[in-house]
Amino acid sequence: MTVTERSTLSIASRDLDADVLVIGGGPAGTWAAISAASQGARVILADKGFCGTSGATAPSGTGVWYVPPDPARRAKAMNSRWDLGGRLADPAWMRRVLDRTYENVNLLADWGFPFLDDGAGGQVRTSLDGPDYMRLMRKRVKAAGVRILDHSPALELLRDASGAVAGATGIRRQRGDVWTVHAGAVVIATGGCAFLSRALGTNVLTGDGYLMAAELGADLSGMEFSSSYAMALANGSVTKTRFYDWAEFTYADGSPIPGAASKGGRSAIARTLGSGRAVYARLTADAEEQRAMRHHQPNFFLPLDRSGLDPFTDRFPVTLRLEATVRGTGGLRLVDETCATTVPGLYAAGDAATRELICGAFTGGGSHNAAWAMSSGFWAGAGAAGHARAHRGRGAVRSGGLGLRDGARGPIDAQALIAAVRGEVLPYEHTYQRHGDRLSASLSRLDGLWAGLHGADAATRAEAVRTREGIAMLATARWMYRSALARTESRGMHKREDFPGQDEAQRHHILSGGLDEVWTTTAPAASPAHEVLAA
């Protein structure tokens, strides 16, 4: 196979062949690799960092949407998110994910995962310790015969003459050279996009998979559901927000912030921070609750302990960190139960794929995202293996565009690009407190940034990764804001100040795509609005 040469990426120094290439080494990617290998496929997994330690799950604990197959408990679990998610979830997918998650979590137990004792002779299987989880998953990936390329970010996909995906190419960070993998199918498991907001584990989550898939023509869905901000200690990165349900919030002088402790209090906190005023929190919990909190989420307390702060007696400053599509629900659109995208041979899993199917318009952060990662990864890996057996294109050309072509207009200043995108996305009044006028103005500036990149190249091969990250974040922001403008209502996490009500006529999905010209359209929700999620 030949690969068209570009200035930034010359002919690969490592040229490999596989049936299935998995891009991303978090929970979704590792489950996909194991699943594809179990089907007899030759699998390569390429991770931007070190598979097992990079990504949002590896440094944290996470809940899991693990519900035993009791009809009443399953129905209750599904109904708990039905209205919260604006009735955009798909009950059939919810049931599938509950089934698959139950099987996969039990498989983790068979593999020796150290679940906590429930005190009654059983195990607590509704939460996973991130370091133990990902350490075990790397071990199982290697045991399955999968070849792992660590510190090897993908920069662009390959396509064959028919337009189907045919592999990918990227850079090996530690060697500074280029790799290419020719494959019959590819799984995008690169996570979501948090715009380098410093939320724990999200430094590698910059929307790369969205960009690479869109360059082949893939669609996205639900990108308006991307306004998730998580609370953290000021200047900290740990965004475990559950414990803030026990918090009282005050100004610097100790006076309470009106509305901050109520349902929807995050808006009051965002307004206060946006005005330039500091916000302080203090947790109120009895001794038994304090012990339980420290046991279940030790990461939450680590930065506080290091700062000499007792969160149960001391007021401590907090901030909000954007997690966007990592804790949101938007992502690549799936067209069938194998987690296939609109591009032949290209599959998506985890946060790279839309989670509207099980969460609708409300965050899938934590348990639902964890269940989705292991379920969609399992299905995507199997689907990719099946596709690779039946299809193998001839020849391969690179599909990447901006940042990888001959730089007739000179090099791209990656850091300046990233700063400009973050300036449009991180402010609360742009992404959290949305208004059509502000969205339109910001989108105009983002479109101008995109147009200005044509004909430019990464400054050096070493800068190619950061350049593509900036371009991916720019593309993600444009899909987010175009979709947010198209949804002229407030539903789930998407809140419009100019359209504060929910409009049942808009109980549909917003699809988006395109690069030079971003487009949106609608697609019907999967089930009627009046459906009761019966057992």
Side-chain angles (χ1 to χ4, degrees):
M1 298 182 179
T2 60
V3 177
T4 302
E5 191 171 337
R6 295 269 174 85
S7 60
T8 303
L9 299 181
S10 59
I11 295 174
S13 52
R14 171 164 287 194
D15 201 88
L16 304 170
D17 192 77
D19 297 316
V20 174
L21 169 64
V22 178
I23 304 177
T30 49
W31 277 107
I34 292 168
S35 179
S38 73
Q39 303 294 313
R42 295 171 301 127
V43 183
I44 292 175
L45 184 152
D47 195 351
K48 196 176 189 179
F50 183 85
C51 173
T53 65
S54 68
T57 295
S60 308
T62 182
V64 186
W65 204 35
Y66 175 87
V67 184
D70 172 80
R73 292 179 66 179
R74 289 279 178 93
K76 182 179 179 180
M78 294 166 65
N79 278 307
S80 69
R81 285 298 182 101
W82 179 241
D83 288 325
L84 196 62
R87 299 193 171 195
L88 288 182
D90 185 334
W93 275 88
M94 296 170 89
R95 296 186 182 98
R96 292 186 73 220
V97 168
L98 284 169
D99 286 342
R100 186 71 261 166
T101 300
Y102 185 76
E103 295 296 328
N104 283 9
V105 170
N106 292 344
L107 187 57
L108 286 173
D110 293 342
W111 290 345
F113 184 83
F115 287 104
L116 295 175
D117 193 309
D118 65 1
Q123 293 179 324
V124 179
R125 297 188 179 181
T126 55
S127 64
L128 293 166
D129 177 75
D132 285 338
Y133 180 24
M134 294 314 303
R135 186 181 304 114
L136 176 60
M137 291 305 291
R138 181 182 176 94
K139 179 180 177 181
R140 298 302 304 189
V141 167
K142 295 180 72 174
V146 175
R147 183 172 188 173
I148 300 175
L149 305 180
D150 289 312
H151 304 292
S152 298
L155 294 182
E156 58 180 328
L157 297 176
L158 308 178
R159 58 178 173 81
D160 66 15
S162 71
V165 71
T169 190
I171 287 178
R172 293 193 294 172
R173 287 184 184 272
Q174 295 177 324
R175 295 180 179 269
D177 60 3
V178 177
W179 60 264
T180 292
V181 174
H182 301 276
V186 173
V187 177
I188 296 290
T190 50
C193 181
F195 295 94
L196 297 176
S197 64
R198 292 184 57 207
L200 185 64
T202 64
N203 60 309
V204 294
L205 306 178
T206 51
D208 310 348
Y210 303 152
L211 174 65
M212 290 187 288
E215 287 174 333
L216 279 183
D219 299 348
L220 300 102
S221 180
M223 294 300 284
E224 70 274 29
F225 305 127
S226 51
S227 55
S228 179
Y229 285 82
M231 197 166 294
L233 175 67
N235 298 317
S237 62
V238 178
T239 54
K240 294 298 175 183
T241 60
R242 179 70 174 89
F243 293 162
Y244 288 104
D245 289 349
W246 282 263
E248 55 184 21
F249 298 98
T250 65
Y251 296 113
D253 62 5
S255 60
I257 298 173
S262 64
K263 184 179 180 181
R266 196 68 56 83
S267 295
I269 293 170
R271 285 193 297 270
T272 302
L273 291 169
S275 71
R277 301 185 70 178
V279 173
Y280 288 80
R282 180 167 56 197
L283 306 185
T284 57
D286 60 33
E288 183 177 347
E289 288 174 326
Q290 292 180 31
R291 285 193 294 271
M293 288 176 173
R294 285 188 174 276
H295 176 74
H296 287 291
Q297 287 291 356
N299 269 359
F300 177 89
F301 297 95
L302 184 60
L304 290 160
D305 292 342
R306 286 177 173 172
S307 300
L309 294 167
D310 181 344
F312 300 104
T313 59
D314 300 326
R315 292 188 305 118
F316 56 97
V318 296
T319 190
L320 296 175
R321 298 210 177 279
L322 179 63
E323 291 184 319
T325 65
V326 174
R327 200 180 286 264
T329 62
L332 292 168
R333 181 166 73 95
L334 306 182
V335 298
D336 61 30
E337 293 185 348
T338 69
C339 296
T341 71
T342 51
V343 176
L346 186 64
Y347 297 77
D351 292 353
T354 180
R355 283 133 290 156
E356 295 168 286
L357 297 166
I358 63 167
C359 299
F362 190 72
T363 176
S367 62
H368 287 66
N369 277 6
W372 175 250
M374 63 175 64
S375 300
S376 61
F378 185 91
W379 295 321
H387 181 92
R389 282 195 298 269
H391 304 86
R392 194 55 180 267
R394 296 183 178 180
V397 296
R398 288 183 171 137
S399 61
L402 292 183
L404 298 176
R405 298 184 184 277
D406 293 330
R409 291 182 58 178
I412 295 171
D413 185 334
Q415 292 305 117
L417 171 62
I418 289 170
V421 174
R422 282 163 46 86
E424 298 295 339
V425 175
L426 296 188
Y428 309 124
E429 66 271 19
H430 286 196
T431 299
Y432 190 64
Q433 301 158 313
R434 291 171 167 170
H435 188 285
D437 292 343
R438 293 195 297 270
L439 287 168
S440 295
S442 185
L443 186 57
S444 178
R445 292 188 291 269
L446 291 168
D447 288 343
L449 280 174
W450 184 273
L453 295 176
H454 282 283
D457 196 359
T460 64
R461 179 182 292 176
E463 279 287 294
V465 174
R466 186 58 83 185
T467 299
R468 288 288 278 177
E469 287 176 341
I471 293 169
M473 286 189 282
L474 173 56
T476 301
R478 295 169 74 226
W479 293 316
M480 283 169 44
Y481 285 0
R482 191 74 69 187
S483 298
L485 278 171
R487 186 171 290 283
T488 53
E489 62 160 354
S490 292
R491 185 181 295 267
M493 71 166 59
H494 169 71
K495 306 296 185 184
R496 288 281 298 266
E497 291 181 347
D498 47 343
F499 294 99
Q502 181 170 297
D503 175 11
E504 282 309 296
Q506 295 185 54
R507 201 191 72 85
H508 52 229
H509 299 287
I510 302 292
L511 309 185
S512 58
L515 294 167
D516 291 342
E517 295 292 334
V518 174
W519 54 264
T520 63
T521 189
T522 63
S527 53
H530 63 269
E531 176 170 340
V532 176
L533 301 178

